[in-house]
Amino acid sequence: MLTRRSAPKVTDAAPDDDEIRALLEAAGRVADHGALRPWRVIALRGDARDRVGAALAAAAGLDGEPGARLAAKPLRAPLLLAMVAVTAPHHKVAAWEQEIAAAGVAHQLSLLLDDAGWGVMWRTGPHTRHPLVAEAHHLANGERLLGWLYVGGVPDGIRPGRSPEIDADSAFSSLE
């Protein structure tokens, strides 16, 4: 985890569905109050990335060059993993807790992909939860998009080094 860095540029290589499923076996073991498994992952490749891009541009109300630039963003990686929170009313587990569990899976999956040698960047944006974007992902009621893991190969010579130091003291306190 100390060497994990977001990979803004990746090659056209990408893990296949079997590798993603194997990594999800581990990523899905996050803390999950009620063991609800309130998440799912949608792999977007090929034309599916174009449809998501078109939905983003439409959600933003953009056309012409600005719309084309926004629509091209999902093409930055050969594989987008749409991370979806699947919330349902529950007598003990609030919807926000279910979303946190789904976000935990997304984070763990990003760490596992990085550890497996893939370039990964978690991306969101102002239109992540727009109805047109939800429709492009075929989301059902109670499903909310958390963003996408952009995944691809790491270009030669680009493997990022260690992230800047974290000042843990400024973010940690202890009460007695």
Side-chain angles (χ1 to χ4, degrees):
M1 287 192 280
L2 290 174
T3 61
R4 190 220 64 87
R5 300 264 320 256
S6 293
K9 294 184 188 276
V10 295
T11 69
D12 288 336
D16 62 22
D17 290 351
D18 288 337
E19 184 172 357
I20 299 300
R21 284 186 192 98
L23 295 174
L24 279 172
E25 287 288 325
R29 296 179 185 273
V30 298
D32 177 6
H33 187 187
L36 300 177
R37 307 279 192 273
W39 54 271
R40 71 184 182 103
V41 178
I42 304 166
L44 303 165
R45 303 175 194 273
D47 291 343
R49 297 172 305 145
D50 290 313
R51 289 190 297 275
V52 168
L56 287 168
L62 297 174
D63 54 14
E65 182 59 30
R69 276 196 311 273
L70 182 56
K73 287 188 176 189
L75 304 178
R76 293 177 178 174
L79 171 63
L80 276 60
L81 296 174
M83 304 304 300
V84 180
V86 183
T87 60
H90 191 274
H91 67 285
K92 282 183 157 180
V93 187
W96 67 265
E97 250 188 295
Q98 295 174 49
E99 286 198 20
I100 287 172
V105 171
H107 180 65
Q108 297 237 112
L109 183 56
S110 73
L111 291 173
L112 290 164
L113 285 160
D114 180 81
D115 189 57
W118 297 105
V120 184
M121 180 173 256
W122 188 345
R123 295 185 185 265
T124 61
H127 309 294
T128 301
R129 293 200 170 175
H130 191 281
L132 291 173
V133 177
E135 184 180 318
H137 290 81
H138 304 285
L139 299 187
N141 288 335
E143 294 187 330
R144 289 176 181 74
L145 186 61
L146 298 178
W148 305 266
L149 298 181
Y150 281 51
V151 183
V154 177
D156 289 338
I158 304 278
R159 188 71 188 161
R162 188 178 166 122
S163 296
E165 293 295 320
I166 303 297
D167 180 12
D169 286 337
S170 70
F172 178 78
S173 61
S174 181
L175 302 174
E176 291 185 33

